[in-house]
Amino acid sequence: MHIAVQDAPFDFGMEAEEFARARAVSGAIVTFTGIVRDVDGGLRAMEIEHYPGMTEAALTEIADQAVTRWSLEDALVIHRHGRLAVGEMIMMVATAARHRKDAFEAAEFLMDYLKSRAPFWKREITQDGAEWVAARDEDEDALTRW
Amino acid sequence: MMDVLYFAWVRERIGIPREAVETQAVTVMDLVDELRAREDRYAAAFADITALRVAVDQQLTGFDAPLSGAREVAFFPPMTGG
């Protein structure tokens, strides 16, 4: 299992390739990447704050749950913090399983949980100032399906 | 002594990221009440605890959680990762 919380950019292609190559016997690899999007055309940057120590522990716990529940061969979570520009990759998850259904479901589970159970806070910087992104009810509701 | 940490707008409203607090609080809620009584900026940050989340020793918990033996308590808004 690979968990990384970092301010530096990551190389998605290299990470995905390395993950897939090392688990080639798994049969199914799913990856997901989140990218800073500009919703209203005015976003200058996204700032991500986190809780050092708890973040790594929370991500490890969430990934452990996914590995156990979907009998994953392996899981990877990389999440950035600090200041990110529009178009930059915020985070990625990868799951390796024997069958695609498990790999897809586990990746969705990881995403749903790290959205509202890992201690990250996003702030959008626009020309009008900075605003903390509010948590959405849908994100909390998404957890109930698991 | 207990380390109390604040993140995101809670940190901004209170004005500091962390502080050491001398407290006899039995639960998280007792600690919140002690902090609220300190100054307006604390009262403002803790005005609506339904808008807040809390972690005790880096584990998410509820405001009724006991604080016995706790070293670190953190207050923050609902998380927005991913």
Side-chain angles (χ1 to χ4, degrees):
Chain A
M1 214 165 70
H2 179 64
I3 306 291
V5 181
Q6 60 191 54
D7 58 359
F10 57 89
D11 184 330
F12 171 72
M14 201 189 76
E15 296 289 349
E17 170 73 23
E18 206 169 284
F19 185 83
R21 199 200 309 270
R23 288 87 187 167
V25 293
S26 295
I29 305 282
V30 163
T31 65
F32 173 87
T33 315
I35 294 171
V36 180
R37 70 165 173 267
D38 185 359
V39 195
D40 302 315
L43 191 72
R44 286 189 175 166
M46 171 87 83
E47 278 179 4
I48 302 173
E49 181 172 331
H50 80 115
Y51 183 170
M54 180 175 164
T55 311
E56 292 81 354
L59 292 179
T60 303
E61 198 181 313
I62 293 164
D64 271 338
Q65 278 184 43
V67 167
T68 305
R69 187 158 163 189
W70 284 276
S71 304
L72 300 181
E73 310 272 332
D74 206 357
L76 169 147
V77 180
I78 299 174
H79 203 302
R80 294 181 62 197
H81 59 88
R83 195 179 175 96
L84 281 71
V86 172
E88 280 194 70
M89 293 182 187
I90 305 172
M91 49 76 59
M92 73 174 280
V93 303
T95 55
R98 292 179 61 79
H99 304 288
R100 68 175 174 192
K101 189 166 179 288
D102 289 333
F104 272 116
E105 274 187 17
E108 283 209 81
F109 168 89
L110 282 175
M111 286 310 305
D112 283 346
Y113 266 81
L114 73 83
K115 263 192 124 57
S116 41
R117 290 293 183 274
F120 290 102
W121 300 275
K122 291 198 188 103
R123 186 157 68 155
E124 291 176 346
I125 318 292
T126 65
Q127 53 192 11
D128 302 325
E131 204 163 321
W132 292 101
V133 174
R136 302 183 316 160
D137 290 341
E138 302 96 273
D139 291 337
E140 191 62 33
D141 294 345
L143 301 186
T144 59
R145 70 172 162 143
W146 306 111
Chain B
M1 288 295 258
M2 193 178 284
D3 280 325
V4 181
L5 283 66
Y6 311 109
F7 291 96
W9 59 254
V10 183
R11 168 178 58 71
E12 288 181 336
R13 219 163 276 185
I14 291 172
I16 47 172
R18 67 188 301 153
E19 61 186 320
V21 173
E22 187 75 63
T23 179
Q24 303 301 320
V26 176
T27 66
V28 171
M29 202 55 226
D30 295 338
L31 176 63
V32 168
D33 287 335
E34 283 182 15
L35 293 169
R36 272 174 175 161
R38 279 181 163 189
E39 285 176 53
D40 285 352
R41 58 196 169 110
Y42 288 93
F46 290 105
D48 175 14
I49 60 161
T50 64
L52 295 178
R53 300 291 179 267
V54 61
V56 173
D57 287 334
Q58 305 194 352
Q59 285 286 330
L60 277 175
T61 186
F63 283 82
D64 56 352
L67 287 178
S68 61
R71 295 180 309 276
E72 188 172 294
V73 180
F75 296 101
F76 40 80
M79 294 152 276
T80 51

